[in-house]
Amino acid sequence: MLVIDDDPIVSQVMQMLFETELHLTCKVTGEEGLKAVAEEKPEIVLLDIEMEGMDGYEACRRIRQLDLPFQPYIIFVSAHSDPVKRLAAYSVGGEDFVSKPLQPEELVRKVEQALRYRREIHELKSQAQGAMSVAMSAMTDSSALGICLQYFRRLFQAVDSGQLMRTTLDALGEFGLAASVQFRDNGEVKTLSSESGNSQLESLLLQDLSAERQHIVCYDSRCAFNYGPVSLLINNMPVDDIERCGKLKDYLALMAEGAAERAEVMTQDGAAAVQDRAGATLAAMIESQRAGQADARALLDAMRARMEDMLGNEPRAALLLGLVDEAQDSLGKLQLQQVRELESLGRRLRGVALRE
């Protein structure tokens, strides 16, 4: 508590009443009191009205203009207690009024009342700050979840590794993160960086980290997330903000796991596409073989008819025609065997597709 009063008796009374309960400072001028308020930031100010130099009204106005974390509770103390003086005291920012000569019981009651009021104000502001913090955290979480949901919508529309990596980098950019994404498939490694496109150093680093058993590996502001064929490397995790950093790890782990699942599905889709193309190729080969068989039979039939016309009943006609018949039979058996082998391969391919 700060007492600003040029009457030494008032200061002595204040010390007698409050020095065992409060940290008490006494000043005798408005200028000294204003400086003490700025430096000591008291909870309560007892302020006289009539003083040499700066009076109590002006001192109160100046106090209310100070940039303080909390404004003090100001109680005017004056021998002039008429309604005009009281109204003037309230108009410049005073909150209570005590008349001189002082009544100790009244003064103690009003100071205790002011202290309770200050405690309530502190508690309310603390609760308001806590509520604001919770609200801001909820808004931040909502925004982050929105980024994640939008990411998953775009992710499952990705049709190849390049689109998957670009989609992932775009979402990480919305979090304000500089990152690299790596996709590994059957020995083929692709890495894309938000800053340098394709960084060989980061590519090697992600390959090394992918061998770790841990899904999340962090060092300073760098953090890697490894799930199956996909790895993320974040270069600027907000390690100074522990709460945000922890939440980001949860979101990024979820995103990395989702990217890995999509990558595996794309790999399976790719295998199915290969199977489909192989099946189509086999069907075309079978059809080509059958068409070839028909053409060969038609050619041999035409050859046999022409030989019969040319040779007629010559002794060698039967021998030559027999050779043509044997060639036709051998060609038919060979072509039939080839068709059956192609059909068997097609059935095995369909069986693999069904198991997948």
Side-chain angles (χ1 to χ4, degrees):
M1 185 167 69
L2 172 66
V3 178
I4 307 174
D5 197 312
D6 57 2
D7 186 345
I9 295 177
V10 172
S11 296
Q12 290 176 4
V13 172
M14 299 298 181
Q15 289 175 351
M16 181 182 65
L17 291 175
F18 300 112
E19 67 179 356
T20 59
E21 303 294 333
L22 300 171
H23 175 70
L24 188 65
T25 301
C26 296
K27 300 296 179 181
V28 296
T29 67
E31 291 83 1
E32 291 178 354
L34 186 63
K35 183 179 179 182
V37 170
E39 293 176 352
E40 300 182 19
K41 301 174 179 61
E43 295 282 340
I44 301 173
V45 174
L46 296 180
L47 180 59
D48 190 15
I49 293 178
E50 293 187 358
M51 296 179 291
E52 292 186 7
M54 185 187 299
D55 65 13
Y57 296 137
E58 182 63 21
C60 186
R61 277 193 292 267
R62 299 267 190 100
I63 289 171
R64 292 308 186 207
Q65 292 171 0
L66 293 174
D67 184 14
L68 301 172
F70 295 97
Q71 279 283 336
Y73 191 98
I74 298 178
I75 303 174
F76 275 93
V77 180
S78 177
H80 303 285
S81 59
D82 59 87
V84 175
K85 294 287 186 181
R86 288 175 177 269
L87 182 60
Y90 291 126
S91 68
V92 294
E95 290 160 299
D96 208 339
F97 198 100
V98 176
S99 300
K100 291 180 181 179
L102 297 174
Q103 300 295 322
E105 291 182 357
E106 180 189 14
L107 184 59
V108 169
R109 178 178 59 79
K110 292 203 171 188
V111 168
E112 289 178 346
Q113 178 181 328
L115 289 173
R116 285 195 301 271
Y117 173 78
R118 295 293 295 176
R119 283 194 295 268
E120 290 173 359
I121 290 295
H122 283 307
E123 290 175 0
L124 288 173
K125 288 190 175 181
S126 177
Q127 292 173 5
Q129 289 174 350
M132 181 62 70
S133 177
V134 171
M136 291 300 294
S137 178
M139 289 173 63
T140 301
D141 288 346
S142 176
S143 175
L145 286 173
I147 293 173
C148 287
L149 289 173
Q150 186 63 27
Y151 167 69
F152 283 116
R153 290 191 189 100
R154 295 196 300 262
L155 178 66
F156 287 98
Q157 294 174 357
V159 296
D160 55 40
S161 59
Q163 192 173 353
L164 180 147
M165 291 190 291
R166 287 190 296 273
T167 297
T168 303
L169 286 180
D170 289 344
L172 295 175
E174 292 184 51
F175 281 114
L177 299 174
S180 295
V181 182
Q182 186 172 92
F183 179 86
R184 299 174 294 275
D185 180 29
N186 294 326
E188 183 181 7
V189 178
K190 299 178 182 178
T191 306
L192 189 63
S193 172
S194 60
E195 294 182 333
S196 57
N198 185 358
S199 170
Q200 186 65 24
L201 180 62
E202 291 183 346
S203 177
L204 294 174
L205 178 60
L206 281 170
Q207 289 182 67
D208 291 339
L209 291 174
S210 67
E212 298 285 341
R213 293 184 178 180
Q214 294 178 321
H215 286 305
I216 303 175
V217 181
C218 295
Y219 181 76
D220 288 339
S221 61
R222 288 195 165 194
C223 202
F225 299 81
N226 302 302
Y227 287 84
V230 173
S231 292
L232 309 181
L233 177 62
I234 311 301
N235 295 316
N236 60 336
M237 289 292 287
V239 292
D240 293 335
D241 188 340
I242 297 176
E243 183 179 2
R244 181 169 181 260
C245 189
K247 289 182 178 180
L248 270 178
K249 285 183 180 179
D250 293 337
Y251 294 134
L252 297 177
L254 184 64
M255 291 171 63
E257 191 170 6
E261 291 180 1
R262 180 56 186 159
E264 291 174 355
V265 169
M266 284 195 307
T267 300
Q268 294 173 2
D269 289 346
V274 170
Q275 291 168 352
D276 290 341
R277 288 195 297 271
T281 302
L282 286 174
M285 291 173 65
I286 292 171
E287 188 62 28
S288 177
Q289 283 289 335
R290 287 174 174 166
Q293 288 178 13
D295 291 341
R297 283 195 298 270
L299 180 61
L300 289 174
D301 288 339
M303 183 183 298
R304 194 177 194 283
R306 188 170 182 182
M307 289 178 65
E308 288 177 341
D309 291 338
M310 291 177 60
L311 297 175
N313 294 324
E314 291 186 11
R316 58 178 182 170
L319 177 61
L320 292 173
L321 291 173
L323 292 174
V324 171
D325 291 338
E326 289 179 5
Q328 192 173 20
D329 290 340
S330 298
L331 180 60
K333 290 177 182 178
L334 177 61
Q335 291 175 332
L336 180 60
Q337 181 181 359
Q338 290 174 339
V339 169
R340 287 175 176 173
E341 288 176 355
L342 289 172
E343 289 176 339
S344 176
L345 181 58
R347 286 193 295 273
R348 290 200 300 272
L349 191 62
R350 287 191 294 273
V352 169
L354 288 173
R355 288 195 298 274
E356 291 293 328

